[in-house]
Amino acid sequence: MALQITKQENVYVLSGNLAADQVFEIGRFFNLKLHAEQELHISLAKLDVVDISAALMFKQLFSQAELRNKTCVVYGLKNRKILGAFRHTNQIHALAS
């Protein structure tokens, strides 16, 4: 399934598959949003696939938020389909439920 991003109640909801071929564009999109907003909330609950490069992109996004003194929260701890990539990159602690 193709990746879709919608915004619901100030939360960016990703659905479909997030893989290496989209990571650059998605990372750039969220970096721009982080620049414009004080708080960034992203839900991965509807994703079917997340690969390691995507998990690393979120790690970089957390670092950018910290450098800018902004908040970045990524929801998806209950989505068992995506946990492997976050475990592999030692980012499981970064996911909120």
Side-chain angles (χ1 to χ4, degrees):
M1 178 178 179
L3 180 69
Q4 293 180 323
I5 302 174
T6 57
K7 190 171 183 183
Q8 301 171 357
E9 299 178 17
N10 294 324
V11 176
Y12 292 95
V13 179
L14 281 69
S15 56
N17 300 328
L18 180 55
D21 60 338
Q22 302 136 324
V23 168
F24 178 76
E25 291 85 8
I26 298 302
R28 198 169 100 185
F29 173 81
F30 283 123
N31 268 308
L32 289 171
K33 295 300 178 185
L34 189 61
H35 181 72
E37 301 175 21
Q38 188 62 33
E39 292 185 4
L40 188 60
H41 294 263
I42 304 166
S43 173
L44 308 181
K46 293 184 178 181
L47 282 177
D48 295 321
V49 175
V50 171
D51 70 5
I52 293 171
S53 61
L56 290 171
M57 182 268 304
F58 283 109
K59 182 177 183 177
Q60 184 178 18
L61 188 63
F62 292 132
S63 296
Q64 289 296 315
E66 188 175 331
L67 287 173
R68 297 175 185 174
N69 292 319
K70 297 191 177 192
T71 303
C72 181
V73 180
V74 177
Y75 305 99
L77 190 57
K78 293 180 181 178
N79 184 349
R80 301 219 182 272
K81 297 176 194 173
I82 66 167
L83 294 181
F86 284 89
R87 272 195 198 104
H88 190 72
T89 59
N90 295 320
Q91 288 297 304
I92 196 75
H93 65 281
L95 292 176
S97 55

